Amino acid sequence: MIVDAATKSRTVMWGMSTGLTVLFFVLSAISIVVFIYGVVAPILRYRRGNSVGLPPWRELPGRVVRAAKLMVTHETIARRNRVVGWAHRAIVYGWATLFAGTVIVALDHDILQPLFGVRIFQGNFYLACKTALNILGTGLIAGMVVMMWRRAVTKPPALDYTRPDRAADEPGADRTKYLVGDWVFVVSLLVIAVTGFVLQGVRMAMEDPGYSLVQFGGWVFAEPLGALLNHDQLGVLRHGIWWFHGVLSLAFVAAIPYTKASHMLVSFVSLVLRDPEAKRQLRAVPEDANDKPVGYATLEDFSALHLLQLDSCTKCGRCHEVCPATSTGRPLSPRDVVLELRDELHEALPPIGGVLGGLMRGEGNVVDLGLPVVGHDNVREESVWACMQCNACVDICPVGVEQAPIINGMRRALVDQGDIAPTLQTAFEAIEKTGNSFGREARTRASWTKDLGFTVKDARTEPVDVLWFVGDYASFDERSQEITKATARLFHAAGLDFGILYDGEYNSGNDVRRAGEEGLFESLAERNIAALRAASFQRIVTTDPHSLNALRNDYPTVGGDDWEVVHHAQQLVELIEDGRLAVGTLDYRVTYHDPCNLGRMNGDFEAPRRILELLGCTLVEMPRNRSNSFCCGAGGGRIWMPDPAGTEKPSENRIHEAVALEDVDYFIVTCPKDVTMYEDAIRTTGSTERLTLRELTELIEESHARTGRAVVTA
């Protein structure tokens, strides 16, 4: 039968006795109380953290808008995986719509009707709501099926909970609770959605409302149920499904703060508060921290932001999948570090009454966070030191967790305690004594300039347009010195007014800081900042992406100026495009490696590629390129530490990727440390006959030489 528009609706608590109705409202109240407690209790944990990294209040409105946009578009979730992105969109949009529908029903049935005699959930509005609920509810089911298929069938590495830092029989290696928790979450949500459609189908089979097209989800069940069961049987089934669906929904809501579903709440807050500079800029030690430990020795030392981020991790495994340490068999997974710390954080909670009592009394010290975070049964030292600080984890995390800075905080604590590798200690001592990691006399820093055939200006004594901050490896490493000379010759050929600081330049401190030695970094930064301020220049050019990152991002946090800092590839492409540096055509097929500090951290992807295009080279991209580039293994001070025996080096992993490309003449790099790491990897992988490394500057000089052009003056 066709129902008149005015009666298009449904009975909410069909055939329910007064006692059962009261019972349901009591259960609802309990669910809400448990939910609220689960939301409020973590406040005690977060209150114990310091305020480092938290944005000012004036930024919150804009941050909320940006976070909401990310939630709506799923930009961070869909990145590099469109299938997961669309599946998660379907789940979120479906869940939000079903939740909104429930709120509308509660508003109509429990507030507007009994208090004001007004009813809104009827007529065409009812039909519109049911249409939306059916469409997006179906999307929710489809999305859940896709996610379950990934977990049960395709099993991507991101969802592998095997810990690289634990043997299977060691404490903490068993991740069964996470696997069970994941499946309970997806299955319960799927069952809630499906039983909602079943309940709708039973009602349609009993009442034949006449608008099946807008309730197609229920119609799927209505037809077979109507054929199999009589009216009384359908009534019994309707009551059973109603209670099962209702109680399961209430339990799901109550459990949200305590289960994997908590990411529905915390992840949004994390996106609001996340630091967009986190992957390139480490936060300085607070000025009032003189009487406190440096870094993260215990949970008590963590910032409130990082404590919250431990809870916001969704266990999606994106960081696990892209981490070069994990990929090459080292005892580190960024996800496992976060989960281990989260477990420690939750173990610090007192019994429920203690938390509630503390909240009621306004106490902030109910939670014991004075537990060490690094140790045999916690996050292990070898895991902390395995990190290359490449920030691939921070870059890919869909909810803004700062895994690398958290690890850096633990490194700072270990360095403060003197618990570091001997080779790293040796490097620190050399840098402190001589200003460079090679331990060479400072007066020899510019020795590479002697046989150039022209004089490189001393930027300390005369003004220049461009101050060239050369960097340690480009100044002292013999192979990189040849590239440095080529760069100087090109600058000179283009008539660029440039100079260097000679022995007034010190190690930039980028890797010193990321290895955890904050005090030494600040000392190096202070010296370099003083030298730069004493010079007169328009911009800084650096050969080393690590130095670029320190000068551009870290120095402003410790008193540096907001200088324009560019990589030498950017300077060279400008000279070529301005016609100041003539280049010829090179008919090479090349592949290019994006350095972590230049590409992922600072977004400088185009200048090297533009140069290759101007040189007439054919660029064959590696599968992992741009922000997804794979670390060479030198970052975070790892270049000063030996690799674990029997493991593949990240640089070797990358060379295997390059060798797999067809007919590539050269492996192009734009970082002195890449030169060192990858030339060694080409040898150790037996790839010398297949692949040759060249720094981009070398190609430009070859191309310039082919033109036969004389030196160009400015």
Side-chain angles (χ1 to χ4, degrees), residues 67-78 84-101 129 131-144 189 193 264:
K69 180 181 177 181
L70 290 176
M71 293 286 286
V72 171
T73 63
H74 273 59
E75 178 183 324
T76 58
I77 296 174
V84 169
W86 281 111
H88 200 273
R89 284 188 186 98
I91 294 170
V92 171
Y93 297 161
W95 163 258
T97 303
L98 294 177
F99 181 77
C129 288
T131 301
L133 290 168
N134 274 257
I135 293 173
L136 291 167
T138 301
L140 168 63
I141 293 173
M144 296 306 299
L189 190 54
M264 296 178 177

Side-chain angles (χ1 to χ4, degrees), residues 30-45:
I30 293 173
S31 173
I32 293 172
V33 169
V34 173
F35 172 84
I36 292 175
Y37 175 81
V39 171
V40 174
I43 293 175
L44 278 179
R45 300 197 293 263

Side-chain angles (χ1 to χ4, degrees), residues 486 489-491 493-494 569 571-587 607-617 696-710 712:
R489 288 191 292 265
L490 290 172
F491 285 170
Q571 182 68 65
L572 288 167
V573 76
E574 291 176 9
L575 294 174
I576 296 171
E577 291 186 328
D578 289 347
R580 298 175 62 182
L581 184 63
V583 293
T585 300
L586 302 178
D587 188 20
R609 289 174 170 81
R610 175 59 177 156
I611 289 175
L612 292 173
E613 179 184 358
L614 292 169
L615 299 185
C617 294
L696 184 61
T697 308
E698 295 175 310
L699 281 188
I700 300 173
E701 187 170 48
E702 178 186 344
S703 174
H704 178 69
R706 291 191 181 188
T707 67
R709 296 282 293 276
V712 179

Side-chain angles (χ1 to χ4, degrees), residues 435-710:
N436 66 83
S437 58
F438 289 80
R440 306 279 180 82
E441 292 290 338
R443 60 185 174 80
T444 67
R445 178 176 280 275
S447 62
W448 56 269
T449 64
K450 293 180 179 178
D451 57 355
L452 286 175
F454 56 88
T455 301
V456 177
K457 286 185 177 182
D458 188 339
R460 298 171 299 177
T461 60
E462 54 184 319
V464 294
D465 289 339
V466 172
L467 191 151
W468 182 9
F469 194 97
V470 184
D472 279 10
Y473 266 75
S475 297
F476 294 105
D477 178 71
E478 291 184 6
R479 172 67 176 92
S480 291
Q481 280 182 346
E482 297 304 314
I483 299 165
T484 305
K485 294 175 186 176
T487 305
R489 288 191 292 265
L490 290 172
F491 285 170
H492 183 68
L496 185 68
D497 180 25
F498 73 98
I500 62 176
L501 293 173
Y502 283 82
D503 59 354
E505 177 184 313
Y506 290 81
N507 183 290
S508 71
N510 183 77
D511 296 293
V512 169
R513 192 178 209 192
R514 279 149 187 81
E517 230 307 0
E518 186 69 13
L520 179 55
F521 161 75
E522 291 180 359
S523 174
L524 294 167
E526 182 179 355
R527 295 180 182 184
N528 282 322
I529 289 170
L532 291 169
R533 283 180 175 164
S536 176
F537 57 89
Q538 301 299 315
R539 68 161 28 165
I540 299 173
V541 169
T542 178
T543 314
D544 179 13
H546 297 247
S547 297
L548 177 143
N549 189 69
L551 293 166
R552 184 187 286 180
N553 301 303
D554 282 339
Y555 279 24
T557 70
V558 290
D561 297 338
D562 188 21
W563 296 295
E564 180 190 6
V565 186
V566 301
H567 186 251
H568 73 284
Q570 181 62 45
Q571 182 68 65
L572 288 167
V573 76
E574 291 176 9
L575 294 174
I576 296 171
E577 291 186 328
D578 289 347
R580 298 175 62 182
L581 184 63
V583 293
T585 300
L586 302 178
D587 188 20
Y588 296 140
R589 282 175 59 85
V590 302
T591 192
Y592 170 67
H593 167 75
D594 289 282
C596 299
N597 280 269
L598 182 64
R600 181 184 305 113
M601 296 184 196
N602 284 283
D604 294 346
F605 301 111
E606 301 308 324
R609 289 174 170 81
R610 175 59 177 156
I611 289 175
L612 292 173
E613 179 184 358
L614 292 169
L615 299 185
C617 294
T618 299
L619 175 61
V620 182
E621 295 280 14
M622 283 183 279
R624 295 174 292 188
N625 61 74
R626 296 180 179 268
S627 64
N628 194 32
S629 183
F630 196 70
C631 181
C632 74
R638 284 299 318 176
I639 199 167
W640 302 318
M641 291 180 270
D643 291 301
T647 60
E648 180 186 46
K649 296 179 180 179
S651 55
E652 293 172 338
N653 183 288
R654 186 64 157 163
I655 291 302
H656 287 311
E657 183 178 0
V659 168
L661 302 174
E662 294 184 4
D663 301 324
V664 171
D665 298 310
Y666 295 117
F667 182 86
I668 307 300
V669 298
T670 53
C671 171
K673 290 184 176 68
D674 285 340
V675 172
T676 298
M677 301 299 285
Y678 286 123
E679 286 201 331
D680 178 68
I682 289 172
R683 288 191 297 270
T684 57
T685 59
S687 304
T688 53
E689 295 183 1
R690 295 283 309 279
L691 199 64
T692 301
L693 179 143
R694 297 190 73 179
E695 208 274 346
L696 184 61
T697 308
E698 295 175 310
L699 281 188
I700 300 173
E701 187 170 48
E702 178 186 344
S703 174
H704 178 69
R706 291 191 181 188
T707 67
R709 296 282 293 276

Side-chain angles (χ1 to χ4, degrees), residues 318-394:
R318 299 282 187 95
C319 61
H320 178 90
E321 194 172 31
V322 300
C323 177
T326 308
S327 300
T328 54
R330 282 153 176 73
L332 168 66
S333 162
R335 178 185 61 193
D336 287 336
V337 168
V338 170
L339 294 181
E340 181 66 48
L341 291 170
R342 182 161 76 185
D343 286 347
E344 293 181 44
L345 184 63
H346 291 181
E347 287 173 5
L349 277 175
I352 290 178
V355 173
L356 186 58
L359 285 172
M360 294 175 65
R361 294 188 299 272
E363 296 178 0
N365 60 350
V366 176
V367 181
D368 179 15
L369 300 184
L371 304 173
V373 295
V374 179
H376 180 73
D377 292 333
N378 304 321
V379 178
R380 295 184 173 176
E381 286 188 31
E382 54 265 35
S383 299
V384 174
W385 292 116
C387 177
M388 296 150 205
Q389 294 286 292
C390 69
N391 280 274
C393 51
V394 177

